[in-house]
Amino acid sequence: MSAARPSWLLLDRSRWRSILRPFLVQKKTISVLFVISRVNCSFYFKIGACRHGDRCSRLHNKPTFSQTILIQNIYRNPQNSAQTADASRCAVSDVEMQEHYDGFFEEVFTEMEEKYGDVEEMNVCDNLGDHLVGNVYVKFRREEDAEKAVLDLNNRWFNAQPIHAELSPVTDFREACCRQYEMGECTRGGFCNFMHLKPISRELRRELYGRRRKRHRSRSRSHERRSGDRSRGGRERERRRSRDRERSGRF
C-alpha cells in the first residue's frame, strides 16, 4: 500500500500558478530593469570611446549622422616613446615636443578643411589608455562633410598605418573633458577615462582659427557685394522702366 502524498502535492495547476505568480512577476521585472540599465554606455556617449570596447556590457549606439568624426590612435606623442633606460627622464624636451605636436595638428587641420569642409573644432587626446591614446576628434560645420570625411579617410594611410575613422556621438567637448586635468588635479594620470586634451600653441591657434574667421568674413563680404550688385541692378532696371512708362504715357 503506497504512502499518502503530502497535501501540498495535491494542489492543482491553477492553484500553483496563483501561488508562484508574485515571484514570477518579480523575476520578470528584475530582468526587464537589467535590460534597461544596459541600453546605453555613458562613457561611449560622452567621449565616443569605451575602455571595454566590444566587451562592454552596455550598448554602444553608433550614430548614423554627426558633425564629429573620430580618427583613432593617429597621434603619437614622442615623449611617450622616447624614455631613457631607467624611465626616469624623457629624451625629448618640452619645446621639441610642442613643435612636433603643432606640426601634426596643423597638418591634419589643414587637410580636413581643404579636402572635406569647414572645421569648427579639432581636439587631440593626450591619454595613455588604449581606447583614447592618440585619438583625434574633428567637428565639422556640416554633417555632410563629416560623412564624406569618414568614407574617404578609411581608404587612406597616415605614417605607414591605415586610418580608422568613424562618426562620433561627441558634440560637447566640455562634457567629455576631465575637469580635474584642466585644473592640474587629476589623480588617474594618462589612464583617466575622460579626455585629456592636448593644447596647441597660442600662435598656431590664432593662425588656424583666425584664418577661418577671415575666410568667413571674406565670404560674407562677397555675398554682400553680390547682393548689392543685384539690388543696384534692380534699381537701375526699375528707373529705366519708369522712364519708358513716362515716355509712353503709362503709369
Short mmCIF file of all heavy atoms in Angstrom, two decimals, residues 187-210:
data_model
loop_
_atom_site.label_atom_id
_atom_site.label_comp_id
_atom_site.label_asym_id
_atom_site.label_seq_id
_atom_site.Cartn_x
_atom_site.Cartn_y
_atom_site.Cartn_z
N THR A 187 44.12 62.63 -10.56
CA THR A 187 44.96 61.64 -9.87
C THR A 187 45.14 60.36 -10.68
O THR A 187 45.97 59.53 -10.33
CB THR A 187 44.33 61.29 -8.51
OG1 THR A 187 42.99 60.80 -8.73
CG2 THR A 187 44.28 62.52 -7.61
N ARG A 188 44.37 60.20 -11.76
CA ARG A 188 44.46 58.98 -12.56
C ARG A 188 45.50 59.10 -13.67
O ARG A 188 45.81 58.12 -14.33
CB ARG A 188 43.10 58.62 -13.15
CG ARG A 188 42.02 58.40 -12.12
CD ARG A 188 40.88 57.61 -12.69
NE ARG A 188 41.31 56.27 -13.08
CZ ARG A 188 40.50 55.39 -13.66
NH1 ARG A 188 39.25 55.71 -13.91
NH2 ARG A 188 40.95 54.21 -14.00
N GLY A 189 45.99 60.30 -13.89
CA GLY A 189 47.03 60.48 -14.90
C GLY A 189 46.52 60.17 -16.30
O GLY A 189 45.36 60.40 -16.64
N GLY A 190 47.42 59.63 -17.12
CA GLY A 190 47.07 59.35 -18.51
C GLY A 190 46.05 58.26 -18.69
O GLY A 190 45.52 58.10 -19.80
N PHE A 191 45.76 57.49 -17.64
CA PHE A 191 44.80 56.40 -17.77
C PHE A 191 43.40 56.81 -17.31
O PHE A 191 42.54 55.95 -17.09
CB PHE A 191 45.29 55.18 -16.98
CG PHE A 191 46.52 54.57 -17.57
CD1 PHE A 191 47.77 54.91 -17.09
CD2 PHE A 191 46.43 53.69 -18.64
CE1 PHE A 191 48.93 54.36 -17.64
CE2 PHE A 191 47.58 53.13 -19.20
CZ PHE A 191 48.83 53.48 -18.71
N CYS A 192 43.16 58.09 -17.20
CA CYS A 192 41.82 58.59 -16.89
C CYS A 192 40.88 58.24 -18.03
O CYS A 192 41.28 58.21 -19.20
CB CYS A 192 41.88 60.11 -16.68
SG CYS A 192 40.27 60.88 -16.33
N ASN A 193 39.63 57.97 -17.71
CA ASN A 193 38.65 57.59 -18.73
C ASN A 193 38.00 58.79 -19.40
O ASN A 193 37.19 58.61 -20.32
CB ASN A 193 37.56 56.70 -18.12
CG ASN A 193 38.08 55.30 -17.89
OD1 ASN A 193 38.84 54.76 -18.68
ND2 ASN A 193 37.68 54.71 -16.77
N PHE A 194 38.29 60.01 -18.97
CA PHE A 194 37.81 61.21 -19.64
C PHE A 194 38.96 61.83 -20.44
O PHE A 194 40.14 61.57 -20.18
CB PHE A 194 37.25 62.21 -18.63
CG PHE A 194 35.93 61.80 -18.06
CD1 PHE A 194 35.86 61.12 -16.85
CD2 PHE A 194 34.75 62.10 -18.73
CE1 PHE A 194 34.65 60.73 -16.32
CE2 PHE A 194 33.52 61.71 -18.21
CZ PHE A 194 33.46 61.03 -17.01
N MET A 195 38.61 62.67 -21.39
CA MET A 195 39.61 63.22 -22.30
C MET A 195 40.58 64.16 -21.59
O MET A 195 40.16 65.05 -20.85
CB MET A 195 38.92 64.01 -23.42
CG MET A 195 38.14 63.19 -24.41
SD MET A 195 37.50 64.26 -25.72
CE MET A 195 36.40 63.11 -26.56
N HIS A 196 41.86 63.95 -21.85
CA HIS A 196 42.90 64.92 -21.51
C HIS A 196 43.34 65.55 -22.84
O HIS A 196 44.12 64.96 -23.58
CB HIS A 196 44.09 64.24 -20.83
CG HIS A 196 43.80 63.77 -19.44
ND1 HIS A 196 44.78 63.25 -18.61
CD2 HIS A 196 42.65 63.74 -18.72
CE1 HIS A 196 44.23 62.93 -17.44
NE2 HIS A 196 42.94 63.22 -17.48
N LEU A 197 42.80 66.72 -23.15
CA LEU A 197 43.05 67.34 -24.44
C LEU A 197 44.38 68.06 -24.45
O LEU A 197 44.68 68.85 -23.55
CB LEU A 197 41.92 68.31 -24.80
CG LEU A 197 40.52 67.67 -24.94
CD1 LEU A 197 39.51 68.71 -25.38
CD2 LEU A 197 40.55 66.50 -25.91
N LYS A 198 45.17 67.80 -25.47
CA LYS A 198 46.50 68.39 -25.58
C LYS A 198 46.37 69.75 -26.27
O LYS A 198 45.86 69.83 -27.39
CB LYS A 198 47.41 67.47 -26.38
CG LYS A 198 48.88 67.84 -26.32
CD LYS A 198 49.72 66.76 -26.95
CE LYS A 198 51.20 67.09 -26.83
NZ LYS A 198 51.62 67.15 -25.41
N PRO A 199 46.85 70.83 -25.64
CA PRO A 199 46.68 72.17 -26.25
C PRO A 199 47.75 72.45 -27.28
O PRO A 199 48.89 71.98 -27.19
CB PRO A 199 46.82 73.11 -25.05
CG PRO A 199 47.71 72.36 -24.10
CD PRO A 199 47.42 70.90 -24.29
N ILE A 200 47.38 73.24 -28.29
CA ILE A 200 48.34 73.74 -29.26
C ILE A 200 48.85 75.10 -28.79
O ILE A 200 48.29 75.70 -27.87
CB ILE A 200 47.72 73.85 -30.66
CG1 ILE A 200 46.48 74.76 -30.63
CG2 ILE A 200 47.38 72.50 -31.22
CD1 ILE A 200 45.87 75.01 -32.00
N SER A 201 49.90 75.59 -29.44
CA SER A 201 50.45 76.89 -29.05
C SER A 201 49.47 78.01 -29.42
O SER A 201 48.63 77.85 -30.32
CB SER A 201 51.79 77.12 -29.75
OG SER A 201 51.62 77.16 -31.16
N ARG A 202 49.57 79.12 -28.71
CA ARG A 202 48.68 80.25 -28.97
C ARG A 202 48.86 80.78 -30.39
O ARG A 202 47.88 81.18 -31.05
CB ARG A 202 48.94 81.36 -27.95
CG ARG A 202 48.56 81.00 -26.53
CD ARG A 202 48.82 82.16 -25.58
NE ARG A 202 48.46 81.82 -24.21
CZ ARG A 202 48.61 82.65 -23.19
NH1 ARG A 202 49.14 83.85 -23.39
NH2 ARG A 202 48.26 82.27 -21.98
N GLU A 203 50.10 80.81 -30.85
CA GLU A 203 50.37 81.33 -32.20
C GLU A 203 49.67 80.48 -33.25
O GLU A 203 49.05 81.02 -34.19
CB GLU A 203 51.87 81.35 -32.47
CG GLU A 203 52.66 82.32 -31.59
CD GLU A 203 52.91 81.77 -30.19
OE1 GLU A 203 52.63 80.56 -29.98
OE2 GLU A 203 53.36 82.54 -29.32
N LEU A 204 49.74 79.17 -33.12
CA LEU A 204 49.09 78.29 -34.09
C LEU A 204 47.58 78.42 -34.01
O LEU A 204 46.89 78.41 -35.04
CB LEU A 204 49.51 76.85 -33.87
CG LEU A 204 48.93 75.83 -34.85
CD1 LEU A 204 49.32 76.17 -36.29
CD2 LEU A 204 49.37 74.41 -34.49
N ARG A 205 47.04 78.55 -32.79
CA ARG A 205 45.59 78.70 -32.65
C ARG A 205 45.11 79.97 -33.34
O ARG A 205 44.09 79.97 -34.04
CB ARG A 205 45.21 78.72 -31.17
CG ARG A 205 43.71 78.92 -30.91
CD ARG A 205 43.37 78.69 -29.47
NE ARG A 205 43.60 77.30 -29.11
CZ ARG A 205 42.72 76.33 -29.33
NH1 ARG A 205 41.57 76.59 -29.93
NH2 ARG A 205 42.99 75.10 -28.97
N ARG A 206 45.84 81.07 -33.15
CA ARG A 206 45.46 82.32 -33.82
C ARG A 206 45.55 82.16 -35.34
O ARG A 206 44.70 82.67 -36.07
CB ARG A 206 46.35 83.46 -33.35
CG ARG A 206 45.98 84.01 -31.98
CD ARG A 206 46.62 85.37 -31.76
NE ARG A 206 48.09 85.28 -31.76
CZ ARG A 206 48.83 85.13 -30.67
NH1 ARG A 206 48.24 85.04 -29.49
NH2 ARG A 206 50.15 85.06 -30.75
N GLU A 207 46.57 81.46 -35.80
CA GLU A 207 46.75 81.31 -37.24
C GLU A 207 45.64 80.47 -37.86
O GLU A 207 45.04 80.86 -38.87
CB GLU A 207 48.11 80.66 -37.53
CG GLU A 207 48.37 80.44 -39.01
CD GLU A 207 49.68 79.71 -39.25
OE1 GLU A 207 50.49 79.60 -38.30
OE2 GLU A 207 49.90 79.25 -40.39
N LEU A 208 45.35 79.31 -37.27
CA LEU A 208 44.37 78.40 -37.85
C LEU A 208 42.95 78.93 -37.74
O LEU A 208 42.22 79.02 -38.74
CB LEU A 208 44.47 77.02 -37.19
CG LEU A 208 45.77 76.25 -37.43
CD1 LEU A 208 45.72 74.92 -36.69
CD2 LEU A 208 46.01 76.02 -38.91
N TYR A 209 42.54 79.28 -36.52
CA TYR A 209 41.16 79.72 -36.33
C TYR A 209 40.97 81.16 -36.80
O TYR A 209 39.87 81.54 -37.22
CB TYR A 209 40.77 79.55 -34.87
CG TYR A 209 40.67 78.10 -34.47
CD1 TYR A 209 41.73 77.45 -33.82
CD2 TYR A 209 39.53 77.35 -34.75
CE1 TYR A 209 41.65 76.12 -33.46
CE2 TYR A 209 39.45 76.01 -34.40
CZ TYR A 209 40.51 75.40 -33.75
OH TYR A 209 40.42 74.07 -33.41
N GLY A 210 42.02 81.99 -36.75
CA GLY A 210 41.92 83.33 -37.30
C GLY A 210 41.78 83.30 -38.81
O GLY A 210 41.03 84.09 -39.40
#
